[in-house]
Amino acid sequence: MSKARNLNRLAYFAAVVETGSFTRAAERLGVTKAVVSAQVTQLEQELTTTLLVRNTRKVSTTEAGLAFYTRCASILHDADDAFSELSQLSDRPLGTLRMTAPHDYGTVIVTPVVADFRCTYPECKVELHLGDSHSDLMSGDLDLAIRVGWLRDSGLIARKIGGFRQLLVGAAKDKARLDAISQPDDLTSLDFIANLSLSDPLHWTFEKDAKQSVSVKLANALAIDSAPAILEAVKGGAGVAILPDYLVRNDLKKGKLIQILPQWTLPEGGIFAVFPAAKFRPVKVTAFVDMLRDA
């Protein structure tokens, strides 16, 4: 290198690209917008290249900026891995834990654990991406994925850390009508709220005492692609739905919901921590997974 470069400027530039905004980049980095702007401007001057196109609505990369960001992201990730490897020599997580989780489970279960994790290990930062699509762990951008349900064979390393039950629930205000349901076949008389994120949201198999099995096709009254939104619709009286126990547990305790056909069970799912193949598993990852399992 003909000149000494301030590698911190790469982090400022990458943050602007990833957030699409100088303001959001400043919030992520914990500095002022003026500092971010000055650092990126200085970087462009050092490189004698325009990296970003700025206007009043958004910030986008030039062709050179996009190519440079790809290299910067790799460099920053390698630097974080170096800190993670160093943390293997101690018992304290270091660096940044980058992870993904489904929106509903991530909001209800994972986020409170993230808060506890940060309080326990303030030296370690966390980036939590919530979404129901499966992110590519092989890209190297994530340390961990939490997946809920039934794993597809992907060649990744998975550890089961828990499970959940699926419960058929309805609004408590409809208790008299719902209590009259005595068999799965009776459910066809009810309005059902289907989860569009499932491959077959209307066909369900109920079992009783591991001896009886009844498959039914429910009548679709409403279809939504978000479990938390389905929960709100159920509480509003729009129909009944099948939801995971971790999402409805509190409302059942508070009496806002009732479980329908509690003597019948539906297929149970698993909670999995999924890791990319790696030579080592950083302390930050194992510490978080252990904390989530305990929770």
Side-chain angles (χ1 to χ4, degrees):
M1 296 175 65
S2 59
K3 295 182 179 180
R5 309 290 192 199
N6 185 341
L7 295 182
N8 283 333
R9 291 192 183 113
L10 303 186
Y12 288 99
F13 168 66
V16 173
V17 175
E18 291 166 1
T19 62
S21 162
F22 281 88
T23 299
R24 288 193 291 272
E27 291 172 352
R28 175 195 284 191
L29 297 168
V31 297
T32 66
K33 178 181 176 181
V35 169
V36 176
S37 179
Q39 290 292 322
V40 173
T41 298
Q42 182 64 32
L43 181 62
E44 289 179 317
Q45 291 174 353
E46 290 178 353
L47 299 174
T48 63
T49 303
T50 300
L51 301 173
L52 298 173
V53 177
R54 307 156 174 85
N55 60 41
T56 56
R57 290 184 299 173
K58 66 177 183 178
V59 177
S60 58
T61 59
T62 62
E63 183 177 356
L66 180 59
F68 187 64
Y69 166 73
T70 301
R71 295 299 302 272
C72 287
S74 177
I75 291 168
L76 293 170
H77 189 75
D78 286 346
D80 196 61
D81 278 350
F83 280 106
S84 296
E85 290 187 32
L86 179 62
S87 75
Q88 293 294 96
L89 303 178
S90 70
D91 59 356
R92 301 288 294 180
L94 299 174
T96 301
L97 173 62
R98 297 179 177 89
M99 58 184 296
T100 181
H103 189 271
D104 56 347
Y105 186 79
T107 300
V108 176
I109 304 296
V110 177
T111 299
V113 178
V114 167
D116 290 343
F117 182 81
R118 283 283 299 127
C119 290
T120 305
Y121 305 110
E123 306 94 336
C124 188
K125 298 180 181 179
V126 179
E127 289 183 9
L128 173 60
H129 302 270
L130 298 180
D132 295 325
S133 61
H134 283 186
S135 300
D136 181 14
L137 282 177
M138 302 306 294
S139 67
D141 295 330
L142 295 169
D143 301 299
L144 169 68
I146 303 301
R147 292 183 179 163
V148 175
W150 297 265
L151 280 185
R152 297 191 297 264
D153 182 15
S154 63
L156 298 170
I157 301 168
R159 172 185 171 190
K160 186 174 182 179
I161 58 175
F164 67 94
R165 294 186 301 143
Q166 298 185 100
L167 304 180
L168 177 63
V169 296
K173 63 183 179 181
D174 296 326
K175 186 177 189 305
R177 184 166 63 98
L178 298 179
D179 281 348
I181 302 296
S182 60
Q183 299 291 331
D185 288 335
D186 298 336
L187 297 173
T188 55
S189 65
L190 300 178
D191 290 335
F192 182 73
I193 305 174
N195 189 337
L196 289 175
S197 64
L198 301 178
S199 59
D200 190 0
L202 296 179
H203 288 88
W204 293 91
T205 299
F206 293 78
E207 292 188 353
K208 184 178 181 181
D209 301 327
K211 297 178 182 179
Q212 292 179 267
S213 179
V214 178
S215 294
V216 296
K217 181 179 180 180
L218 302 179
N220 183 20
L222 176 63
I224 305 177
D225 64 356
S226 164
I230 292 173
L231 174 59
E232 294 305 312
V234 172
K235 289 192 291 185
V240 302
I242 294 171
L243 292 166
D245 58 0
Y246 57 80
L247 196 59
V248 300
R249 184 181 299 125
N250 288 338
D251 286 316
L252 286 170
K253 289 181 179 179
K254 294 176 181 177
K256 295 181 180 180
L257 296 176
I258 61 170
Q259 184 179 352
I260 306 166
L261 297 177
Q263 68 275 29
W264 291 81
T265 61
L266 289 158
E268 297 185 1
I271 310 295
F272 300 90
V274 182
F275 316 96
K279 296 179 182 178
F280 69 95
R281 191 161 299 152
V283 170
K284 62 185 179 183
V285 174
T286 55
F288 181 82
V289 171
D290 288 343
M291 189 175 287
L292 181 60
R293 180 203 59 204
D294 293 342

